Amino acid sequence: MSNIKYLSDTNIFIKLYHAYLDSTELCEEYVKKYTLLGFVEPVHHEIKRTPNVNYDKKASIIDLYDQLSNQYEIVYISKLDSITKQAYIREMNNLGYLDYTGKTKAEDDIGEKATLLISHLLEIPIIHTDDYKFIEYVEENRNKYPDAELITLNTVLQNLIPEDKKRIKVNRDIEMNDSYYNNKVVEEREMDRKLKQLINTYSKS
């Protein structure tokens, strides 16, 4: 854990996954470029809860995350030293998170708040985030977290894609493909619902 230099929130990995419809190349480049990358446990569970959508030409986001697991580190709360763990649990409870690991259910902003707190407690100041509500929260609480250094998706992309024209296109494609992905999630959930409804209908007849 002491080797971690950067912490990332959930949105960065997911948005890099959406850079291309037929390739996971940018996620792979991300974990290679930032070799001392870490995800706190609630972020890990958020990524693992991301709805799976089947693509013809690339792995699902959860499969990809698992495939790259030897290139990042997960900060498990149970592995923190006792003093750090107590401080983390106390503050997360104060913020309203009783399940401070984020394992049992999805909760708003738990990944970002846990990342910020671990960043402070373990003195890992650099956080990659694409959540502008979270950025505002950090700025409003600078007295508590004076050393937090927030790196946005655009800055990450500048390091991964030096060419301005290509980077601008990728930024645009991320937004477009993210929308495409969300639509596919809705479609697949609707198909599952109809299939279950059909099975129930026939099982009763």
Side-chain angles (χ1 to χ4, degrees):
M1 232 175 282
S2 59
N3 291 329
I4 296 174
K5 187 175 178 183
Y6 318 95
L7 290 171
S8 179
D9 77 3
T10 312
N11 285 344
I12 291 285
F13 190 83
I14 291 174
K15 290 212 167 182
L16 291 174
Y17 176 80
H18 291 320
Y20 310 112
L21 283 177
D22 59 354
S23 168
T24 58
E25 149 189 355
L26 219 50
C27 284
E28 294 165 34
E29 288 179 13
Y30 176 56
V31 296
K32 285 177 188 172
K33 178 77 174 179
Y34 297 96
T35 53
L36 303 175
L37 182 69
F39 298 100
V40 300
E41 187 173 354
V43 167
H44 165 72
H45 292 308
E46 283 184 336
I47 293 173
K48 295 286 280 184
R49 262 195 295 267
T50 304
N52 253 340
V53 167
N54 294 319
Y55 288 93
D56 294 333
K57 297 182 180 179
K58 70 175 182 178
S60 73
I61 192 165
I62 296 172
D63 287 345
L64 175 66
Y65 178 72
D66 289 341
Q67 288 165 18
L68 298 175
S69 62
N70 64 337
Q71 296 187 59
Y72 58 79
E73 191 164 347
I74 300 166
V75 182
Y76 286 104
I77 307 310
S78 62
K79 293 184 179 179
L80 298 172
D81 67 77
S82 59
I83 293 174
T84 303
K85 182 162 69 173
Q86 285 172 18
Y88 171 85
I89 293 171
R90 184 172 59 250
E91 186 59 27
M92 288 297 280
N93 287 168
N94 289 340
L95 290 168
Y97 300 111
L98 299 181
D99 173 20
Y100 48 81
T101 65
K103 186 174 183 178
T104 57
K105 63 177 181 177
E107 292 198 69
D108 290 346
D109 304 324
I110 188 172
E112 289 82 1
K113 298 292 174 57
T115 299
L116 180 60
L117 191 51
I118 290 296
S119 163
H120 178 66
L121 293 171
L122 298 186
E123 298 182 350
I124 308 169
I126 302 174
I127 300 172
H128 295 169
T129 182
D130 194 51
D131 187 324
Y132 286 91
K133 254 176 65 181
F134 173 58
I135 292 170
E136 284 179 15
Y137 176 84
V138 174
E139 294 307 326
E140 289 166 2
N141 291 274
R142 272 292 171 196
N143 58 323
K144 284 180 73 174
Y145 308 107
D147 297 324
E149 183 182 342
L150 304 180
I151 306 296
T152 64
L153 176 64
N154 196 50
T155 302
V156 169
L157 286 174
Q158 284 173 0
N159 288 325
L160 297 177
I161 308 171
E163 305 90 344
D164 288 346
K165 191 174 179 181
K166 184 179 178 183
R167 187 174 63 255
I168 290 167
K169 182 181 185 309
V170 166
N171 242 324
R172 188 171 63 246
D173 287 348
I174 284 172
E175 296 307 315
M176 184 175 67
N177 294 341
D178 185 53
S179 175
Y180 171 82
Y181 168 83
N182 289 332
N183 287 337
K184 282 199 77 171
V185 169
V186 170
E187 286 172 11
E188 292 195 6
R189 281 178 174 169
E190 180 62 15
M191 284 176 65
D192 284 345
R193 186 190 67 78
K194 286 180 178 177
L195 182 60
K196 285 174 185 172
Q197 193 176 48
L198 195 62
I199 290 168
N200 287 336
T201 301
Y202 277 99
S203 65
K204 289 173 184 175
S205 59

